[in-house]
Amino acid sequence: MIGKIVKGIGGFYYVKTAEKEIIECKARGIFRKENLKPYIGDDVEISVQNGKGNIEKILDRKNLLIRPPVSNIDILVIVVAAKDPKPDLFLTDKLILNAEIAGIKPIICINKSDLDKADDIVEIYDKAGYEVVLLSAKNEKGSENKIMPLIKGKTTAFAGLSGVGKSTLLGVITGVEKETGEISEKIKRGKHTTRHVELIEMDDGGYVLDTPGFSSFEVTQIKAENLQDYFPEMKNHIGECRFKGCSHINEPDCVIKDLVNDGKISKSRYESYKTIYEKLKSVKEWEN
Ligand SMILES: Nc1nc2c(ncn2[C@@H]2O[C@H](COP(=O)(O)OP(=O)(O)OP(=O)(O)O)[C@@H](O)[C@H]2O)c(=O)[nH]1
Ligand SMILES: [Mg+2]
Ligand SMILES: [Zn+2]
């Protein structure tokens, strides 16, 4: 039987079959040995004996993200709160970058617009060429209509810091509210903070995935020299600098630095580029 992994809890994987039946499965030990861990979103071949499912094979993946841990998605909606928690643009840029590397379309969703209009953040990502949606999942009627047309029929994962409102937004989109909660002042996380990734099927044939918030991770899967290829606002200018192979950091007559100084490329995006570039430079070959 073929199915899709829609949820994973405590070593069990929940596989949805073509008949929309959910079968609880174990992954055979071999996956651990081969370092082929099943991910939510994987299409898998399963066998069922005495009501117990077993994942036999993971079918070819279209793509895989480790942060958040999902496979076969079309769109990554990166949710940023205009306020509470404070926007983390570096994390946002890393999430965007991971999507770009995996060939997944990023969309920036700025939530909690009732608390702040976040003009500066809208401008940063607009300028970079990304689709930006500003809404308030909790306090704006019909906010889901701003995002639904962009993800219709697609498989979309929602990622971002804990407490930005991913689950609230998904509740509005799917009409099912769960796992959202007031932010506890002490730990600054939603009280009902999402603990696992879950794939929810929509009426239009698309899927949406809630994911737990996380705050930091490293990008390591590319070489520093290739980083510019994944920043769309830089990509169009490759080769225009005075030096061939310009890293856009210390070289003179650098078109990218000029664009940053002229305000055509956002400073915060450029700062993220520089920080990630330096980090990638320091990654040893064997780590790559
Ligand atoms: N003011 C305001 N609060 C919101 C909005 N959307 C969500 N919240 C609140 O923000 C808090 C966190 O929301 P969640 O949806 O649980 O956040 P999350 O991103 O799923 O958090 P994790 O599951 O921990 O990653 C809750 O108290 C929500 O009610 C909004 O548009 N405006
Ligand atoms: Mg959540
Ligand atoms: Zn340059």
Side-chain angles (χ1 to χ4, degrees), residues 171-242:
V172 176
I173 288 174
T174 59
V176 186
E177 197 185 308
K178 57 172 159 187
E179 287 195 315
T180 67
E182 298 310 308
I183 295 188
S184 128
E185 267 314 303
K186 230 173 169 176
I187 50 170
K188 291 275 181 198
R189 286 170 74 98
K191 224 190 266 164
H192 300 276
T193 194
T194 305
R195 303 264 174 229
H196 55 264
V197 180
E198 182 172 356
L199 197 56
I200 303 159
E201 194 166 3
M202 304 283 286
D203 292 338
D204 62 14
Y207 286 91
V208 289
L209 294 97
D210 199 356
T211 74
F214 52 84
S215 57
S216 81
F217 67 97
E218 301 281 359
V219 178
T220 53
Q221 64 271 51
I222 54 165
K223 287 204 161 82
E225 299 74 51
N226 301 123
L227 181 60
Q228 56 182 346
D229 299 342
Y230 303 101
F231 278 72
E233 66 270 61
M234 293 189 182
K235 200 179 163 204
N236 299 331
H237 299 285
I238 293 173
E240 292 175 13
C241 303
R242 176 166 149 204

Side-chain angles (χ1 to χ4, degrees), residues 31-244:
F31 290 128
R32 240 164 294 147
K33 272 189 227 138
E34 293 180 353
N35 200 17
L36 269 174
K37 197 166 115 53
Y39 278 81
I40 315 300
D42 276 343
D43 295 311
V44 292
E45 206 176 289
I46 61 168
S47 63
V48 184
Q49 268 163 1
N50 306 326
K52 289 200 170 76
N54 214 347
I55 297 176
E56 300 290 341
K57 193 180 168 192
I58 300 172
L59 305 187
D60 285 346
R61 290 174 177 138
K62 187 156 77 177
N63 53 51
L64 174 66
L65 285 177
I66 306 296
R67 291 292 204 141
V70 292
S71 74
N72 296 324
I73 66 168
D74 302 308
I75 298 174
L76 183 69
V77 173
I78 297 147
V79 184
V80 181
K83 208 181 150 184
D84 300 333
K86 187 169 176 276
D88 183 338
L89 299 185
F90 185 49
L91 178 76
T92 305
D93 290 335
K94 284 195 289 189
L95 285 167
I96 293 174
L97 175 60
N98 263 2
E100 293 278 5
I101 294 169
I104 295 161
K105 182 183 175 179
I107 294 178
I108 319 303
C109 175
I110 301 164
N111 186 34
K112 308 200 187 186
S113 64
D114 53 308
L115 302 179
D116 192 311
K117 281 174 49 210
D119 295 329
D120 48 341
I121 307 176
V122 174
E123 196 193 321
I124 287 168
Y125 293 101
D126 229 15
K127 221 183 250 181
Y130 289 113
E131 219 148 353
V132 184
V133 183
L134 180 69
L135 52 78
S136 168
K138 191 176 166 186
N139 295 318
E140 178 185 3
K141 233 178 140 213
S143 61
E144 67 275 17
N145 297 327
K146 289 187 179 170
I147 205 132
M148 277 313 289
L150 306 177
I151 65 171
K152 205 171 162 7
K154 305 271 197 236
T155 299
T156 306
F158 290 72
L161 278 181
S162 184
V164 293
K166 300 178 294 294
S167 299
T168 306
L169 182 56
L170 275 167
V172 176
I173 288 174
T174 59
V176 186
E177 197 185 308
K178 57 172 159 187
E179 287 195 315
T180 67
E182 298 310 308
I183 295 188
S184 128
E185 267 314 303
K186 230 173 169 176
I187 50 170
K188 291 275 181 198
R189 286 170 74 98
K191 224 190 266 164
H192 300 276
T193 194
T194 305
R195 303 264 174 229
H196 55 264
V197 180
E198 182 172 356
L199 197 56
I200 303 159
E201 194 166 3
M202 304 283 286
D203 292 338
D204 62 14
Y207 286 91
V208 289
L209 294 97
D210 199 356
T211 74
F214 52 84
S215 57
S216 81
F217 67 97
E218 301 281 359
V219 178
T220 53
Q221 64 271 51
I222 54 165
K223 287 204 161 82
E225 299 74 51
N226 301 123
L227 181 60
Q228 56 182 346
D229 299 342
Y230 303 101
F231 278 72
E233 66 270 61
M234 293 189 182
K235 200 179 163 204
N236 299 331
H237 299 285
I238 293 173
E240 292 175 13
C241 303
R242 176 166 149 204
F243 290 103
K244 192 167 173 274

Side-chain angles (χ1 to χ4, degrees), residues 228 237 240-243 245-249 251-257:
Q228 56 182 346
H237 299 285
E240 292 175 13
C241 303
R242 176 166 149 204
F243 290 103
C246 181
S247 70
H248 321 305
I249 294 179
E251 297 89 339
D253 297 327
C254 169
V255 169
I256 299 297
K257 279 196 284 181

